[in-house]
Amino acid sequence: MNSNQEQDPTFHTPVAGSTTSGMTGHGYYNSHSAPQWNAIAAIKPWIEEAARSIPLSDGSTGIADFGCSEGSNSIAVMQEVAQVLNTRSPSEVRAIYSDLPTNDFSELFLALQRGEASKGDQHNVYSSVVGGSMYDQLLPTNSISLATTFNTIGFLSRRPVAELNDYILPNGPSSIRSRGSVSMEEESAFRRQAAQDVAEFLKVRAAELIPGGKVIVEVFGCTEDARTCDGIYDALNDAVLHFVENGEISQQTYAGYYQPVYFRSLEELTEPVINPAFEVSDYYSIEKAEAYEVSVPFCDVFNKSGDAAAYAHDFVGFFRAFTEAVLTNALPASEGRSALVNNIYAKAQDLIRENPELYPFRYASVAMMLTRKA
């Protein structure tokens, strides 16, 4: 259960407009993001369609990805778009990667230096990085033709409640578990915040986009019969509670700790665009919207091999990459905090290995493609 925490045991405090300091760095997130890539790959036809139809600028065409993390998936998307744009025009392409200033950009910079985006056959692609909250305007007005974000909008801009006393996620435990609960009032507070976040993200992107530009939003979510949160947060909650019960984590700390993430349905994702009350509908038209499910490599392997130890190892590695920063910052600062974090994830791995049937995982996603109105 090693991670970059052992190299750098202190995560940064989240900046304004965010509730996390970013994904686990030093290559860890890149190494554990194959399921996220499958969710992006499922809408590659949308990305290609957008690249074929977005308006080109006279000088250079700007494309931006918000929530790039360490860059593996983001670079692949930008390459796809740039290749299509190169067939349309010899004009230069500005590829902009954005994430929180506390994000570990080192892997992204190394990848770009190796030529995975800005070199090689794409001599007219110029890459840059912008640090900031995706809920703020980060680029000049009317400067880009395409904005994308994959999964990042699932992380809320603020914590709408101070505590969740009985579970670590606002969507609540999976239907097969009876441990933990979230009240309707609590969940409603997160649902409202999630809607406001989509609206705010789209408002600031509307300022940055040129007329006819497009926005693609994809995020983990819920379909009629699957929730991406199930299994992940049941295991993490059970692991944290183990250390509450043995006295290493106080009940007060447990109540104050929750993952400020919301798993939307497709209707919840599109509502801020449709409902005039959010003041977004005048900016955009919805071109496509879809809820879907994708395969998960470590689940596919487990279904064939039945190797619960390997399943537990890969599953925990996957969700540690995007839950570790919030968990670490929720625990009191101490010399033993890093070891406690490691022990929590080791416990989650033990729980899944011993009873994998209690922690099944399916990856559901919701997505929409919008066009900026003139």
Side-chain angles (χ1 to χ4, degrees):
M1 290 305 300
N2 295 321
S3 83
N4 77 300
Q5 277 294 91
E6 295 175 348
Q7 302 174 43
D8 181 6
T10 303
F11 273 108
H12 296 287
T13 301
V15 298
S18 70
T19 49
T20 179
S21 57
M23 306 297 100
T24 300
H26 295 277
Y28 194 85
Y29 183 80
N30 274 352
S31 299
H32 296 84
S33 60
Q36 292 93 319
W37 173 250
N38 285 351
I40 297 170
I43 57 170
K44 277 185 67 176
W46 296 17
I47 297 169
E48 294 168 359
E49 178 181 334
R52 289 194 300 268
S53 61
I54 56 174
L56 304 179
S57 298
D58 293 335
S60 61
T61 299
I63 58 177
D65 183 52
F66 295 88
C68 63
S69 187
E70 293 190 303
S72 177
N73 294 341
S74 184
I75 287 173
V77 171
M78 293 295 225
Q79 281 184 307
E80 188 82 25
V81 173
Q83 287 170 1
V84 175
L85 294 179
N86 284 339
T87 66
R88 295 180 58 195
S89 169
S91 299
E92 296 171 347
V93 177
R94 290 174 288 110
I96 303 161
Y97 300 86
S98 182
D99 212 311
L100 297 169
T102 49
N103 177 61
D104 180 5
F105 288 103
S106 59
E107 291 293 319
L108 173 69
F109 288 135
L110 289 170
L112 293 174
Q113 186 181 49
R114 287 194 299 266
E116 293 181 23
S118 62
K119 306 293 183 183
D121 296 331
Q122 298 180 28
H123 296 290
N124 63 337
V125 179
Y126 296 88
S127 299
S128 61
V129 170
V130 176
S133 169
M134 66 190 293
Y135 302 110
D136 295 329
Q137 183 173 343
L138 300 176
L139 306 175
T141 300
N142 295 334
S143 65
I144 58 173
S145 295
L146 175 65
T148 61
T149 185
F150 304 104
N151 292 308
T152 310
I153 208 164
F155 296 85
L156 301 177
S157 66
R158 58 179 294 273
R159 289 164 51 101
V161 302
E163 296 181 344
L164 283 181
N165 290 296
D166 201 35
Y167 197 67
I168 64 169
L169 186 78
N171 295 83
S174 66
S175 60
I176 68 169
R177 302 303 306 278
S178 58
R179 192 177 197 184
S181 64
V182 174
S183 71
M184 291 181 62
E185 291 78 12
E186 289 169 333
E187 187 172 358
S188 294
F190 285 92
R191 186 182 302 113
R192 290 192 299 271
Q193 184 62 53
Q196 291 166 4
D197 282 351
V198 172
E200 192 58 37
F201 172 81
L202 293 176
K203 287 177 184 177
V204 294
R205 299 292 83 77
E208 299 166 349
L209 285 162
I210 65 175
K214 294 189 183 296
V215 180
I216 296 176
V217 178
E218 179 274 328
V219 63
F220 42 72
C222 307
T223 63
E224 290 185 356
D225 65 345
R227 306 193 317 167
T228 309
C229 51
D230 291 347
I232 295 173
Y233 296 95
D234 292 330
L236 186 55
N237 186 69
D238 289 351
V240 172
L241 282 176
H242 169 82
F243 293 92
V244 174
E245 291 161 359
N246 74 9
E248 293 187 55
I249 297 175
S250 71
Q251 183 62 44
Q252 181 181 7
T253 295
Y254 174 73
Y257 160 61
Y258 63 81
Q259 292 284 333
V261 182
Y262 187 76
F263 291 74
R264 300 169 175 86
S265 66
L266 182 61
E267 291 74 16
E268 289 172 321
L269 179 65
T270 58
E271 181 190 6
V273 189
I274 297 171
N275 186 343
F278 289 97
E279 301 179 336
V280 172
S281 57
D282 287 343
Y283 293 123
Y284 297 99
S285 58
I286 298 178
E287 302 297 329
K288 298 179 184 294
E290 184 178 343
Y292 56 94
E293 185 176 349
V294 297
S295 64
V296 178
F298 57 79
C299 292
D300 294 340
V301 171
F302 175 58
N303 290 335
K304 292 180 180 178
S305 70
D307 187 340
Y311 173 66
H313 176 272
D314 293 344
F315 191 6
V316 173
F318 162 68
F319 68 72
R320 180 171 186 163
F322 54 82
T323 59
E324 184 174 12
V326 173
L327 172 59
T328 300
N329 281 321
L331 298 174
S334 68
E335 290 185 2
R337 181 169 67 172
S338 179
L340 177 57
V341 169
N342 285 332
N343 290 339
I344 290 171
Y345 287 105
K347 182 62 178 179
Q349 187 169 315
D350 290 342
L351 291 169
I352 296 171
R353 184 186 68 253
E354 293 165 4
N355 294 286
E357 71 280 358
L358 295 180
Y359 308 102
F361 178 61
R362 295 167 63 183
Y363 200 116
S365 184
V366 293
M368 61 183 178
M369 184 165 74
L370 315 177
T371 297
R372 174 71 163 96
K373 296 178 181 177

